[in-house]
Amino acid sequence: MKLTVKNRPLKTTHSFEYTFNNKHVKVSISKNSILLPIFDEKKNRQIGFLLDGPIGIIADLLVHTKEGAVGEIIEETYSTALLFPVQLPFLTRDQVKEIPPLEEIYHYEEVINKYRLQIKREDYITYEEKKGIMIQTYNPASLWFINNESTFLVGTEEIIARRGENRLIWVAKDSFTTVNRTGKIHSTTDLFSIKKARKTFHKILDVPLALVFSSLGDVFTSI
């Protein structure tokens, strides 16, 4: 899939925060951040934005059980991110303004080239805004999927997913933990189970964005 950046920049007119409907995640974007449209060159269709400017993500990936809290609260600030699809719930026309083309976009093209290798299929990114969003961050690298029910983070050290108030899947470097809807915790340090869980989640990622959450839902129904 060939991605390209178009020199048609937007700039945020003020800083703002947005809390997703699932109440697990809050995103903040700073004033004067630059947004450049990302196109699927083959289809000549915009599929998202490249954001140059601090983006903060606070995610409550923590569930409470009778045995105590399980999971993590994650607070990260990223310098660059790709945002998919085009219609984003936290980005409206009154938050940005058009600005003249930038003198140089070579740096942004280099960023896109690094991401392009991670997007394996042409239908990976849905054009339907109601199916959830994807945020691919750069430095540090991570992949976020967020919709009205679930939050799913693929980081360099861990994979963690929360669905609703009670269910959690957490694949760390040396453990695999799940919490089901009744609050029952299952945890293992078996290396085979951890590798199998990681393989399962990476298979989920190699599907269209619109199917990620239904696939994730199928995984949650088994715990």
Side-chain angles (χ1 to χ4, degrees):
M1 182 178 188
K2 182 160 178 63
L3 304 181
T4 58
V5 178
K6 302 294 185 182
N7 199 350
R8 304 173 191 166
L10 302 173
K11 179 181 283 190
T12 54
T13 56
H14 57 281
S15 299
F16 57 90
E17 296 181 343
Y18 178 85
T19 300
F20 286 87
N21 289 339
N22 64 27
K23 307 301 182 184
H24 307 160
V25 186
K26 180 169 69 175
V27 170
S28 59
I29 295 179
S30 298
K31 182 180 179 179
N32 294 328
S33 294
I34 300 295
L35 289 147
L36 289 165
I38 300 171
F39 272 67
D40 176 344
E41 188 174 83
K42 184 176 180 180
K43 296 182 179 179
N44 192 31
R45 189 172 190 178
Q46 186 179 354
I47 58 175
F49 292 96
L50 187 156
L51 172 71
D52 181 11
I55 176 171
I57 300 179
I58 300 176
D60 182 0
L61 304 181
L62 193 71
V63 298
H64 297 275
T65 74
K66 294 179 181 179
E67 300 177 46
V70 180
E72 289 186 322
I73 295 178
I74 296 173
E75 298 186 36
E76 291 283 1
T77 300
Y78 306 98
S79 58
T80 309
L82 270 64
L83 312 174
F84 303 101
V86 177
Q87 299 296 327
L88 297 161
F90 54 85
L91 191 66
T92 59
R93 288 186 177 275
D94 63 349
Q95 293 165 327
V96 296
K97 64 178 180 180
E98 295 182 4
I99 60 173
L102 304 177
E103 291 184 5
E104 181 58 68
I105 63 168
Y106 175 77
H107 167 70
Y108 300 114
E109 291 171 342
E110 288 293 298
V111 171
I112 286 293
N113 286 336
K114 291 178 182 178
Y115 283 117
R116 186 173 60 190
L117 298 176
Q118 301 177 40
I119 300 177
K120 301 175 183 178
R121 291 169 44 161
E122 292 183 6
D123 59 354
Y124 187 65
I125 302 163
T126 181
Y127 302 111
E128 299 176 25
E129 66 271 18
K130 297 181 180 180
K131 300 296 184 181
I133 73 159
M134 183 175 87
I135 301 176
Q136 172 86 61
T137 69
Y138 178 65
N139 193 24
S142 61
L143 185 61
W144 293 83
F145 295 94
I146 307 165
N147 75 353
N148 290 338
E149 295 181 342
S150 306
T151 302
F152 180 19
L153 166 64
V154 181
T156 55
E157 299 293 330
E158 64 184 346
I159 299 169
I160 185 166
R162 176 179 173 181
R163 186 176 178 88
E165 292 301 312
N166 304 316
R167 286 181 284 179
L168 185 81
I169 299 174
W170 188 11
V171 185
K173 184 178 292 185
D174 56 1
S175 64
F176 174 34
T177 304
T178 63
V179 181
N180 67 15
R181 68 178 68 200
T182 65
K184 184 177 180 180
I185 302 171
H186 175 74
S187 185
T188 179
T189 56
D190 177 68
L191 289 178
F192 177 78
S193 297
I194 296 169
K195 289 180 179 178
K196 185 177 179 181
R198 286 184 177 275
K199 186 175 181 180
T200 298
F201 278 109
H202 282 289
K203 281 185 178 179
I204 289 175
L205 296 182
D206 194 23
V207 299
L209 178 57
L211 298 180
V212 168
F213 292 104
S214 60
S215 300
L216 185 59
D218 292 340
V219 173
F220 270 110
T221 58
S222 65
I223 67 171

